[in-house]
Amino acid sequence: MAADRRIVIENCAIATVDANDTEHASGHVVVAGNRIESVGAGRAPEGLENVARRIDASGHLVTPGLVNTHHHFYQWITRGLATDHNLFNWLVALYPTWARIDEPMVYQAAQGSLAMMARGGVTTAMDHHYVFPRGSGDLSGAIIRAAREMGVRFTLARGSMDRSEKDGGLPPDFAVETLDGALTATEATVKEHHDASFDAMTQVAVAPCSPFSVSTELLRQGAELARRLGVRLHTHGSETVEEEQFCKELFGMGPTDYFESTGWLGEDVWMAHCVHMNDSDIAAFARTKTGVAHCPSSNARLAAGIARVPDMLAAGVPVGLGVDGTASNESGELHTELRNALLINRLGAHREAALNARQALRLGTYGGAQVLGRASEIGSLEPGKLADLVLWKLDTLAHASIADPVTALVFGAAAPVTASFVNGRQIVEDNRLLHADEDAIARSTRAEAQRLARIAVQG
Ligand SMILES: [Zn+2]
């Protein structure tokens, strides 16, 4: 893309989510190539050359694109199952089905997950994929291909499991990899796909699944591998009381102490959930700058509890938002998580002081960029950063009478996306995907869900 090709967006409210939470009631954003060139109040500067497009965004709020920090794309084809279970019972119910996935299923499921997020304003997606049945094909390659085709920025967290029932873990023996197999495949995935450049569209993290599905050695050696390769680390942590109990029984300590003992606290680490954290756990995360992917809907769906997000933020822990896999959050939308994060945290100890609308928007944008290690590139609208941004339509019945645009976006109904740009390239227009056929994806994901259900029944 020519570096000086410009897109001018004007007459819109803007929430930059910069360090000062700068907002403009009516302002402009100028995109040049794949970067933001200027953001400010009033009209764009006069005399700009090479303007390819000028958008009158009256009635809109422009924000940084949403950043999703925890997901499992393959679960798109196992939605609506085990709907009244807690985490451990839900996992045990679903592992046998998940162990039968193959490359076409994973590709279609990735398309479904990505499509749902992209049309709702997600510009950076991530997939924590940890089920690699023997002979199932190139699952990582299929997921990355789906993300490229959708046009979103993407982090693949290459997951793994090697602690099955015979070793005291939760997954069945046939659903796991060996320690060496997992490490070798993870290293190969990083070497093949990870791009460390400023405007990278694909990055890879090392991501053993959880304390109850992974050996201590895989955590230890996974951390060493990631640091040798210069990539980030991701896992599930402190999700439920049952996990806490599991860690105390097997390792003689709670999850956070266990992670610390295996090299898993650090500014290059982010963990999903972190619901059951005491004061010293939160202090350890703050001291080490370990990040958190807060997944409020999934935590509610699986009755896991309310994460202490206000305490984490007060302590200086980086926090982003995650939808989590769609087998525990059937909606798979991140913009509704802004509202859910705010509302659910107000049910916790801090009540009305828990989170406000600006903080919720920050979790879904800059906070997400922080935990993915990309805060200098994305997550706020500032000159020099990558042009990942969303135009939310707020002048219709659903939002027009709400007092201010950020409040409308967070407290109101899910807002329609008039346009979404990633790396300066438009991926959504008038709530429809530009580079994928939503209706075709709906049909093909349903077909793959039915195929998986048939294979799973056959056993
Ligand atoms: Zn998860």
Side-chain angles (χ1 to χ4, degrees), residues 178-386:
T178 62
L179 169 66
D180 287 346
L183 288 167
T184 303
T186 302
E187 179 163 2
T189 305
V190 172
K191 287 184 169 160
E192 185 177 353
H193 296 291
H194 181 71
D195 176 359
S197 64
F198 185 88
D199 52 4
M201 292 296 288
T202 307
Q203 297 202 325
V204 180
V206 175
C209 188
S210 66
F212 50 82
S213 62
V214 162
S215 67
T216 306
E217 246 344 90
L218 182 48
L219 283 175
R220 260 203 206 103
Q221 293 188 35
E224 286 166 12
L225 174 68
R227 285 168 184 144
R228 176 159 62 78
L229 299 174
V231 297
R232 296 179 75 75
L233 284 157
H234 179 59
T235 192
H236 294 91
S238 307
E239 184 170 356
T240 63
V241 286
E242 289 83 6
E243 177 194 330
E244 192 172 21
Q245 194 62 32
F246 178 96
C247 288
K248 285 186 171 155
E249 276 169 22
L250 254 80
F251 315 124
M253 58 187 112
T256 299
D257 292 336
Y258 176 57
F259 283 125
E260 184 150 40
S261 76
T262 53
W264 270 76
L265 295 189
E267 61 184 2
D268 55 354
V269 180
W270 87 105
M271 289 189 209
H273 303 295
C274 303
V275 174
H276 297 279
M277 304 260 283
N278 61 30
D279 290 347
S280 84
D281 297 334
I282 291 176
F285 270 55
R287 188 177 67 245
T288 56
K289 295 289 172 220
T290 305
V292 170
H294 176 46
C295 304
S297 292
S298 175
N299 293 341
R301 158 71 151 85
L302 295 172
I306 302 171
R308 296 171 58 189
V309 172
D311 295 323
M312 293 176 192
L313 294 178
V317 177
V319 183
L321 288 181
V323 301
D324 203 1
T326 46
S328 66
N329 177 4
E330 274 74 5
S331 97
E333 295 181 306
L334 191 60
H335 57 328
T336 54
E337 296 297 312
L338 302 176
R339 183 171 191 263
N340 293 345
L342 185 146
L343 295 179
I344 286 173
N345 281 282
R346 286 192 180 179
L347 296 172
H350 296 270
R351 301 188 58 201
E352 73 276 16
L355 282 181
N356 62 38
R358 270 76 192 171
Q359 286 173 307
L361 177 60
R362 177 169 290 274
L363 292 179
T365 53
Y366 188 82
Q370 266 184 310
V371 308
L372 294 184
R374 305 207 64 180
S376 57
E377 301 111 281
I378 58 171
S380 60
L381 300 178
E382 298 178 76
K385 284 190 134 181
L386 296 168

Side-chain angles (χ1 to χ4, degrees), residues 39-52:
V39 184
R43 303 291 297 262
E46 298 281 324
L48 290 172
E49 290 178 4
N50 224 349
V51 175

Side-chain angles (χ1 to χ4, degrees), residues 125-205:
M126 77 78 74
D127 184 16
H128 183 191
H129 189 84
Y130 55 85
V131 187
F132 292 90
R134 210 162 300 138
S136 55
D138 179 11
L139 303 188
S140 298
I143 294 162
I144 287 169
R145 180 157 53 92
R148 276 202 190 119
E149 288 166 358
M150 198 65 60
V152 298
R153 207 176 293 286
F154 183 58
T155 296
L156 175 68
R158 203 293 182 183
S160 46
M161 302 193 291
D162 74 333
R163 184 193 290 277
S164 63
E165 283 168 333
K166 70 176 167 43
D167 303 314
L170 212 58
D173 298 337
F174 57 82
V176 303
E177 297 174 279
T178 62
L179 169 66
D180 287 346
L183 288 167
T184 303
T186 302
E187 179 163 2
T189 305
V190 172
K191 287 184 169 160
E192 185 177 353
H193 296 291
H194 181 71
D195 176 359
S197 64
F198 185 88
D199 52 4
M201 292 296 288
T202 307
Q203 297 202 325
V204 180

